[in-house]
Amino acid sequence: MDDLPDGHFRHLILPYTGNVTHVQVPDRGFSSDFSAVIDSEKGRFFVKAMFNNPGGRKDSILRERAINPYVQPLSPRLLWSVDGDDAGWIILGFEAIEERGLDFEPGSPDLPLAVDLLNRAASLELPDIARDWREDRWDAYVNSEDELMLLRGDALLHTDINPSNLTVGEAGAWIIDWSWPTRGPGFIDPACLVVQLIAAGHTPESAESWAAGCTAWANADPQAIDAFAAADLRMHRQLAERTPNESWLADMATAAQAWAEHRGIPATGL
């Protein structure tokens, strides 16, 4: 198929797919070098692939492969994978599901489902394989060692909570794209939902009212949430400044600002 990256890629997946008959590249982007739904003589698969090069992107797809058995049935099952020093690619073949991203806008009937999905995720045990995957992306944006310790924990986190990664279809609902699972405080995933809801048009009060339905949020130390909100604002400000052409980053920074102000975090601390 012309929509596959190259003949070598086609050769690598052939034992798992047989002849490929159709390739559908999804409308929404995925943080990978290639992703598509593939119809083949051996079935239908969602295929996600990264170049087999050292670095964070390779690490993320290897982490996604490793965590998949432990996030069932919340995530589509990984059915096969390809990698190797001479492969040139790391390729994951998931079961293909018919689904759509949730609507995060105010009044959406999908909002209770988003809360339910996060509660299902919070019920997952932290597997041994994830114990060394400490969440540290917000570490550089805290003001003190005390704040840093508030962002430590032993929950399994998804950390990329957005309307594309929380999905629903006739067969159920899922959290997809576990490309960077980590170990940290359970409230972080609901906190990420709060910022996404504000960016989708909610007031901070409304966003937090939905997060309040998440067990990990309800059990969190308010000081820890404050520390995260401040660090998240600093992070999104920096990302927006570094990449001014990505308007969504500016939107996230604006949402994070509104949330920090709602929580009464002093501007001098931001």
Side-chain angles (χ1 to χ4, degrees):
M1 296 293 296
D2 292 339
D3 289 325
L4 294 176
D6 52 44
H8 180 54
F9 188 99
R10 187 182 306 111
H11 173 75
L12 291 171
I13 67 173
L14 184 65
Y16 308 98
T17 64
N19 291 326
V20 173
T21 57
H22 183 68
V23 178
Q24 179 185 352
V25 177
D27 292 333
R28 63 179 186 268
F30 291 86
S31 55
S32 55
D33 295 313
F34 175 79
S35 61
V37 175
I38 289 179
D39 290 296
S40 72
E41 64 179 339
K42 293 190 177 183
R44 198 166 199 247
F45 308 99
F46 173 68
V47 175
K48 181 176 183 178
M50 297 281 197
F51 294 123
N52 194 357
N53 299 323
R57 289 170 65 82
K58 175 180 178 179
D59 292 344
S60 74
I61 199 167
L62 292 177
R63 191 173 288 198
E64 183 169 8
R65 180 175 66 182
I67 202 63
N68 186 262
Y70 303 100
V71 294
Q72 299 303 316
L74 190 56
S75 171
R77 288 180 302 123
L78 178 66
L79 301 176
W80 49 266
S81 66
V82 177
D83 71 58
D85 292 339
D86 59 346
W89 289 92
I90 300 173
I91 310 170
L92 306 184
F94 296 90
E95 61 179 333
I97 56 175
E98 295 294 333
E99 42 81 37
R100 62 166 177 82
L102 298 191
D103 179 359
F104 279 9
E105 293 182 354
S108 167
D110 291 345
L111 295 173
L113 184 54
V115 173
D116 179 65
L117 282 168
L118 290 190
N119 281 332
R120 288 170 60 193
S123 71
L124 297 172
E125 296 290 334
L126 179 75
D128 288 341
I129 196 171
R131 292 202 172 272
D132 291 335
W133 300 346
R134 191 186 73 186
E135 178 51 64
D136 60 7
R137 277 164 288 186
W138 287 270
D139 287 8
Y141 303 98
V142 299
N143 280 336
S144 68
E145 186 67 23
D146 288 342
E147 287 187 354
L148 185 64
M149 295 310 297
L150 292 171
L151 302 187
R152 295 289 179 260
D154 289 317
L156 176 64
L157 303 177
H158 181 280
T159 68
D160 192 12
I161 303 301
N162 65 63
S164 293
N165 287 341
L166 273 60
T167 70
V168 64
E170 290 186 3
W174 302 270
I175 300 180
I176 65 171
D177 199 11
W178 288 78
S179 58
W180 207 255
T182 54
R183 174 176 63 87
F187 74 83
I188 283 185
D189 278 350
C192 291
L193 175 67
V194 167
V195 181
Q196 288 284 340
L197 291 178
I198 296 171
H202 290 256
T203 65
E205 292 88 349
S206 171
E208 286 197 344
S209 73
W210 285 105
C214 298
T215 53
W217 174 278
N219 296 329
D221 180 348
Q223 287 187 317
I225 296 176
D226 286 346
F228 177 84
D232 192 62
L233 173 56
R234 297 183 195 111
M235 182 183 73
H236 277 110
R237 277 179 174 169
Q238 185 179 95
L239 292 173
E241 290 169 359
R242 287 180 176 175
T243 319
N245 294 331
E246 296 287 349
S247 60
W248 70 272
L249 286 173
D251 293 341
M252 294 303 296
T254 299
Q257 174 77 49
W259 186 35
E261 291 175 355
H262 167 71
R263 295 195 65 84
I265 299 171
T268 54
L270 298 173

